[in-house]
């Protein structure tokens, strides 16, 4: 156990992840992706998974030092190689009904000093090879969850002036609070939170907006929403019939933007850690859905590589709303990790859309989804555009304007 | 880095494993199986693998605490389940040309207090599911290697009266010395060692014994050798054309016994750790190749389960000769780990034979191999029968008797 991390907090995080996040079913296999450093959390996940009746917990570890060894020593050709057999195996597991847990916690700056071209090539090779394993996740075919462990390098990035052990303890506290684990009954916390998100989702689905208009500092953007778009968030129903919470924590409600109907200028409001590189000060201009110009004050090369991954990488596949008063936002901490930062801020995602955010979308051929406006790409990268200065209007088909957010907060109370 | 382990020793072990053990080729993938605890060694393996031109190092970790969580909390049905997709993925990797490294180091007593029936069922389910992944190893289709990391629980088992950190340091010293890493040029050490083993192998292959006769305390055993048996050891040539050292350390020369021509009584001389359980004081009587009675002073249930795994589990698939003066034997340490204990002692293996230990055996149908006397089973478990009191004679087809070993040492000097 790394010093400074409270084992009781880890155990509660593991329990909510298995019970509420995954809602793991008796007889299910559980496939876990995690940094090797997260072993103390994975061990508690295994305990709760087997208590829930798992028939196997199969861990797949990554390790920052091993990744770095590749960048420091591997031949150049290696960066175009990804192990297809590995992802085909995972795809088979999911096809057989396994649940999937991803534990985040790697160093957000791991590759800051490595060749961005190698990073981009490797990322592209992995995204392509991983497609069979990511598709059932994007399609919500099975129950899955993403949560986080306070890795040492990540903690020191978030709290640079603290000693490493103190930083890990502080980041664990932040994860604990953001994950709504306080009090005697975290499962009840999550039930209440899910009901609140559901109320907001139901309202948005009733509104049936044709487009959303964003205005804020450096932002004047219109996002078309396709016919039959579906707002989602919090608890979701997987294709295997299991109700699960894909992210712990989560504060967002989200839907599918129309891949060809996004126009105007939008400015990022938080840095984005992508594949071990930091991208900050993002400004993107969209025309007919496509990013026609994109600049970053920091990490311009990484941003360019990201947007050039494939045809759909420069269009958006998710639009998500988060009030500026969300607990994660209120903490005032910049996490350098999208799972947290996206839940502190309205955001968009470059790349792949979720087929479950369009009516009857699951199982449709990709070409049909694309015709309906659902973007297709091998990447899905969230980036934060929300702030306390952001106003958002919803526009109906008939041109009626509804205030959705004012100064970063919901404009309509639903209590 | 666990305290007490010298990082230079680990680095040298990693380097010899990659360069001499695996002889990893540029452009090869490397699949690594290891306890999560062995991360400091795996990281150095990754460095040397990428330096050798690996195009990916893909680690698969196991963890004793996660295994124990299964025994403590999982439903009974889970012990009949193994993840076929997992082993099919590994099989695909090997088929595509990946090399395989196994790092040992788990707690040899992990399951001592768990239900032996569950352990046997799980072991059987895993052996069956793993068949596609173990076959290319048993066939020497690709270059592979087994080495070890001094895990904390294992070190405390070997040196029970030492503090944990001291025990790990001591076990690392033992692994280092047994692996012939002393001095300025470990690769040269291994070249010399390989030449010595080769001389002994060439002699045995010239002798073409029809059977071996063992006599020692509690042992009076005859082992028939099939026509066309091939003695092997040290450096081997894999089907992919790469010369590799399957075990680091290694001291044995071995061949294929005839599955139907083993008779008499044999007594084990060291305890055997099998699937987290200790089996000691083994006495087995063979008739026509089959173990017709088997007793263990300790771990009788585990021995019985082992021999009942399948039809071939109660016959032997490997006969190996190691002089009692081998460096590992001279250390006087009992490792509770077969990689070391088998290299301190003449041994036999229950179960699967290596098709490369019979002339033109690789690629033959299993039924043909079996007809030629090569045992078939889903297990391969070495157990130690050597001692300073053991005499072995070789008998030629014409009945000529040659002294092979006297009092545990080679009877014929080949210097």
């Amino acid at each position: 156990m790394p010093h400074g991390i409270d084992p009781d907090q880890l155990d509660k995080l593991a329990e909510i992840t298995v019970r509420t996040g995954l809602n793991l079913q008796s007889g299910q296999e559980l496939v876990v992706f995690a940094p090797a450093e997260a072993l103390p959390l994975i061990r508690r996940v295994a305990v709760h998974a087997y208590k829930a009746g798992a028939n196997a917990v199969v861990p797949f570890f990554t390790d920052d030092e091993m990744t770095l060894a590749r960048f420091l020593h591997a031949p150049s050709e290696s960066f175009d190689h990804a192990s297809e057999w590995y992802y085909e195996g995972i795809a088979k597991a999911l096809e057989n009904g396994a649940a999937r847990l991803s534990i985040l916690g790697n160093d957000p700056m791991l590759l800051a000093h490595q060749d961005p071209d190698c990073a981009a090539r490797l990322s592209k090779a992995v995204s392509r090879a991983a497609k069979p394993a990511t598709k059932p996740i994007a399609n919500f075919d099975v129950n899955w969850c993403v949560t986080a462990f306070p890795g040492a390098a990540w903690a020191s990035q978030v709290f640079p002036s603290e000693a490493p052990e103190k930083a890990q303890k502080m980041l664990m506290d932040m994860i604990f609070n953001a994950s709504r684990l306080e009090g005697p009954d975290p499962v009840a916390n999550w039930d209440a939170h899910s009901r609140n998100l559901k109320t907001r989702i139901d309202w948005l689905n009733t509104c049936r907006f044709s487009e959303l208009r964003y205005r804020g500092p450096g932002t004047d953007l219109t996002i078309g929403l396709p016919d039959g778009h579906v707002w989602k968030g919090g608890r979701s129903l997987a294709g295997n019939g299991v109700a699960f919470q894909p992210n712990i924590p989560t504060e967002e409600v989200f839907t599918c933007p129309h891949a060809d109907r996004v126009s105007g200028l939008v400015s990022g409001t938080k840095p984005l850690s992508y594949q071990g590189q930091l991208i900050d000060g993002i400004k993107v201009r969209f025309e007919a859905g496509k990013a026609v110009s994109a600049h970053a004050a920091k990490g311009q090369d990484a941003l360019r590589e990201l947007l050039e991954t494939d045809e759909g990488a420069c269009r958006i596949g998710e639009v998500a709303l988060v009030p500026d008063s969300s607990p994660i936002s209120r903490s005032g901490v910049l996490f350098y990790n999208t799972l947290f930062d996206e839940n502190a801020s309205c955001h968009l995602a470059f790349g792949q859309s979720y087929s479950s955010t369009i009516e009857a979308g699951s199982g449709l051929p990709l070409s049909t989804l694309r015709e309906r406006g659902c973007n297709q790409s091998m990447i899905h990268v969230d980036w934060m555009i929300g702030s306390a200065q952001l106003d958002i209007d919803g526009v109906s088909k008939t041109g009626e304007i509804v205030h959705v957010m004012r100064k970063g907060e919901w404009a309509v109370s639903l209590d």
Side-chain angles (χ1 to χ4, degrees), chain A residues 315-382:
Chain A
R315 296 175 187 267
I316 66 171
E318 177 190 333
V319 49
L321 304 178
V322 181
D324 192 61
S325 61
S326 91
I328 299 172
S329 178
R330 269 202 309 261
S331 77
V333 171
L334 181 65
F335 284 83
Y336 300 94
N337 181 306
T338 300
L339 177 64
F340 294 86
D341 293 330
E342 73 165 3
N343 280 307
S345 172
C346 288
H347 57 274
L348 307 174
F350 288 117
Q352 180 67 35
S353 59
Y354 291 107
S355 59
S356 58
T357 53
I358 190 113
E359 276 172 20
S362 296
L364 282 186
L366 298 185
S367 56
T368 310
L369 285 168
R370 184 61 186 81
E371 281 162 23
R372 290 182 66 184
C374 305
N375 194 35
Q376 301 298 320
S377 169
M378 63 174 84
I379 65 160
H380 177 100
V381 182
D382 296 276

Side-chain angles (χ1 to χ4, degrees), chain A residues 214 216-221 264-270 280-286 295 345-348 383-387 390:
Chain A
Y214 290 67
T219 293
D220 186 355
L221 184 74
L265 182 71
V266 58
S267 296
T269 51
K270 288 174 189 283
D280 199 7
I282 301 175
K283 287 186 192 298
V284 183
R285 180 171 294 283
F286 288 93
H295 295 286
S345 172
C346 288
H347 57 274
L348 307 174
W383 54 295
M384 284 59 75
I385 62 162
S387 73
L390 188 66

Side-chain angles (χ1 to χ4, degrees), chain A residues 133-362:
Chain A
T134 50
K135 195 169 159 234
I137 301 304
N139 279 352
F140 284 41
D141 289 344
V142 296
N143 42 332
W144 55 271
C145 185
V146 181
T147 189
F149 174 84
W154 176 29
S156 290
Q157 173 75 20
V158 178
F159 300 109
S161 57
E162 303 294 341
E165 290 181 12
K166 180 79 183 300
Q168 275 192 289
K169 179 187 163 20
M170 288 172 69
L171 185 54
M172 184 71 227
D173 287 343
M174 302 297 308
I175 293 171
F176 188 81
N177 292 330
S179 302
R180 298 177 179 265
L181 295 170
E182 318 87 338
D185 192 351
V187 171
N189 298 351
W190 275 85
D191 286 343
H193 181 44
S194 290
R195 279 193 301 275
N196 289 339
L197 289 172
K198 180 79 167 46
T199 304
R200 181 61 59 184
I201 288 162
D202 288 347
W203 176 73
L204 286 163
N205 280 329
T206 308
C207 291
R208 300 209 160 275
F209 294 126
S210 171
E211 60 185 48
L212 298 175
R213 290 185 191 157
Y214 290 67
R215 276 184 313 279
T219 293
D220 186 355
L221 184 74
T222 300
I223 298 179
L225 301 181
D227 289 343
H229 69 270
V230 177
W231 288 90
K232 301 196 64 153
R235 195 171 284 148
S236 288
L237 192 66
N240 63 358
V242 179
F244 70 109
Q245 293 276 2
N247 288 359
I248 289 196
T250 191
E251 300 291 332
E252 62 175 342
V253 298
F254 61 98
T255 191
C256 186
H258 196 296
D260 303 318
R261 289 173 47 216
V262 180
S263 62
L265 182 71
V266 58
S267 296
T269 51
K270 288 174 189 283
L272 162 66
S273 166
Y274 177 67
Q275 308 277 8
Q277 295 176 88
L278 207 70
I279 310 177
D280 199 7
I282 301 175
K283 287 186 192 298
V284 183
R285 180 171 294 283
F286 288 93
E287 286 177 14
K290 188 173 176 179
V292 291
S293 74
H295 295 286
K298 188 173 178 179
Q300 170 72 21
D301 285 350
L303 177 62
R304 185 179 43 75
E305 300 275 13
L306 185 164
L307 295 176
E308 289 176 358
T309 308
D310 58 18
E311 207 280 320
C314 61
R315 296 175 187 267
I316 66 171
E318 177 190 333
V319 49
L321 304 178
V322 181
D324 192 61
S325 61
S326 91
I328 299 172
S329 178
R330 269 202 309 261
S331 77
V333 171
L334 181 65
F335 284 83
Y336 300 94
N337 181 306
T338 300
L339 177 64
F340 294 86
D341 293 330
E342 73 165 3
N343 280 307
S345 172
C346 288
H347 57 274
L348 307 174
F350 288 117
Q352 180 67 35
S353 59
Y354 291 107
S355 59
S356 58
T357 53
I358 190 113
E359 276 172 20
S362 296

Side-chain angles (χ1 to χ4, degrees), chain A residues 18-178:
Chain A
V18 171
R19 289 183 57 189
T20 297
L22 294 164
N23 188 14
L24 195 71
Q25 303 293 297
S26 181
Q28 249 193 323
E29 258 187 342
L30 175 60
V31 175
V32 182
F33 293 88
E37 194 182 3
L39 190 59
L41 176 58
I42 303 160
R43 286 172 168 170
R44 298 313 303 168
V45 164
V47 167
H48 290 289
Y50 285 122
K51 281 185 178 176
N55 69 359
V57 179
V58 186
F60 292 88
F61 293 109
T62 55
D63 179 61
D64 280 347
E65 274 199 38
M66 289 178 72
T67 304
L68 210 51
R70 186 170 189 163
F71 279 84
L72 293 174
H73 304 296
S76 175
E77 312 84 79
S78 121
F79 295 93
D80 297 313
H81 172 84
S83 305
E84 286 176 12
W85 55 268
Y86 181 93
Y87 298 102
E88 284 165 8
I90 308 297
K92 190 73 182 291
L94 300 175
E95 198 181 306
N96 291 353
R100 194 202 77 170
L101 172 63
S102 293
I103 298 175
L104 308 180
N106 291 85
D107 181 355
M109 301 287 278
L110 181 71
L111 303 179
H113 304 293
Q114 304 309 315
D115 182 347
D117 177 57
C118 286
R121 283 161 54 208
L122 185 58
S123 164
K124 197 165 174 173
V126 168
S127 295
R128 188 179 295 125
K131 194 97 190 175
T134 50
K135 195 169 159 234
I137 301 304
N139 279 352
F140 284 41
D141 289 344
V142 296
N143 42 332
W144 55 271
C145 185
V146 181
T147 189
F149 174 84
W154 176 29
S156 290
Q157 173 75 20
V158 178
F159 300 109
S161 57
E162 303 294 341
E165 290 181 12
K166 180 79 183 300
Q168 275 192 289
K169 179 187 163 20
M170 288 172 69
L171 185 54
M172 184 71 227
D173 287 343
M174 302 297 308
I175 293 171
F176 188 81
N177 292 330

